[in-house]
Amino acid sequence: MRKGTKIGWILVAFSIMLSTWVIMSQSTHADQEVGDFTLDDGGTTIISYNGSGGSVTIPDGVTTGPSGTFYGNSAISSVNLNGVTTIESNAFYGCTGLGSITLPSTVNALAQDAFAECSNLSSISSSSSAYPSSDGCLYNSGMTRLWLVPEGKSSVTLASTCTSIASGAFDRCGNITSVTIPSSVTDIDSGAMTGSSIATIYGYTDSAAESYAVANGLTFVALNAASEEESEESTASEEEEEEEEESE
């Protein structure tokens, strides 16, 4: 057999082996169809949602809701996140049918814009230690930093433990026109209320609330103004009484 012919047969054999390996590889790494979902070959990540909406339950074993999973699906009215641990950016973008959602204790990674443009989402409750909730809003693990206010809320009462407000916390909150900031809040990030309809901040003089309002051109109403006026009136009254006693 000529040397060239031998090499040719070797190349043909190699090509057949490579083709066989590719076919077997594809068959062993195929996506899975589970209910209304297409999952990756490991069954842990959602590839797509193919259902008609309504109440949706994430399949068992799924840990990741990737970016754009339910993008623009206004037909979804509720979601059971089951054992999900990670919810990526824009996972629920534009799901206007969602009114509320609950984060399970398994969630330990959540993109701040995971629920962007969910204009009717008015409450996010959570049993996750990484993102605890109060008054339907999400905080950091220590409940000291307000992290996410759902876009559909019309008012917010900050947790008594809150000392700071994160940038983007009120992003797209078009129904909130004013907010009361307690004296416990000593730090408000730049952009905390950008993109919202907040025009008035109620707070205390010489506080982070007043500084933020002034820096961003918002109306500031001092909550301690009344007590200061009462104190001034009381002092004036006492001085008048003292003058009357001296004149007698």
Side-chain angles (χ1 to χ4, degrees):
M1 181 180 295
R2 293 182 179 179
K3 185 177 181 180
T5 304
K6 186 175 182 181
I7 292 175
W9 281 109
I10 291 174
L11 291 175
V12 170
F14 177 76
S15 177
I16 293 173
M17 291 175 61
L18 181 60
S19 299
T20 303
W21 178 82
V22 170
I23 293 172
M24 292 181 64
S25 177
Q26 290 177 340
S27 64
T28 56
H29 293 81
D31 294 339
Q32 302 181 33
E33 300 295 329
V34 179
D36 293 328
F37 292 86
T38 300
L39 310 179
D40 67 348
D41 62 288
T44 61
T45 301
I46 298 172
I47 301 299
S48 65
Y49 169 69
N50 314 307
S52 58
S55 297
V56 176
T57 298
I58 305 299
D60 292 338
V62 171
T63 59
T64 303
S67 177
T69 299
F70 298 100
Y71 193 98
N73 194 323
S74 60
I76 295 175
S77 58
S78 66
V79 178
N80 179 352
L81 293 172
N82 213 343
V84 167
T85 62
T86 302
I87 304 175
E88 297 180 353
S89 175
N90 293 322
F92 291 91
Y93 183 95
C95 291
T96 55
L98 283 177
S100 64
I101 197 166
T102 299
L103 303 185
S105 60
T106 51
V107 173
N108 55 38
L110 172 69
Q112 195 179 35
D113 63 350
F115 301 102
E117 297 297 336
C118 292
S119 56
N120 293 309
L121 183 63
S122 59
S123 177
I124 303 177
S125 57
S126 173
S127 56
S128 165
S129 59
Y131 303 95
S133 62
S134 175
D135 189 35
C137 303
L138 297 181
Y139 290 76
N140 67 339
S141 59
M143 281 288 288
T144 58
R145 187 171 178 78
L146 177 63
W147 191 70
L148 178 62
V149 179
E151 296 176 22
K153 283 190 73 67
S154 57
S155 64
V156 175
T157 300
L158 272 63
S160 60
T161 53
C162 183
T163 60
S164 67
I165 302 176
S167 178
F170 287 91
D171 188 32
R172 298 184 177 92
C173 289
N175 297 325
I176 301 176
T177 57
S178 66
V179 63
T180 298
I181 309 296
S183 57
S184 61
V185 175
T186 57
D187 180 59
I188 303 176
D189 286 358
S190 174
M193 301 176 195
T194 300
S196 74
S197 295
I198 295 175
T200 304
I201 293 179
Y202 293 86
Y204 295 85
T205 54
D206 300 322
S207 67
E210 183 176 23
S211 297
Y212 186 90
V214 171
N216 291 275
L218 304 178
T219 300
F220 178 75
V221 179
L223 295 174
N224 51 339
S227 60
E228 288 178 353
E229 290 177 1
E230 291 175 359
S231 178
E232 290 175 359
E233 291 176 357
S234 177
T235 300
S237 177
E238 290 176 358
E239 290 177 350
E240 290 177 0
E241 290 178 359
E242 289 178 359
E243 290 176 358
E244 289 178 357
E245 291 176 357
E246 289 176 358
S247 62
E248 291 177 355

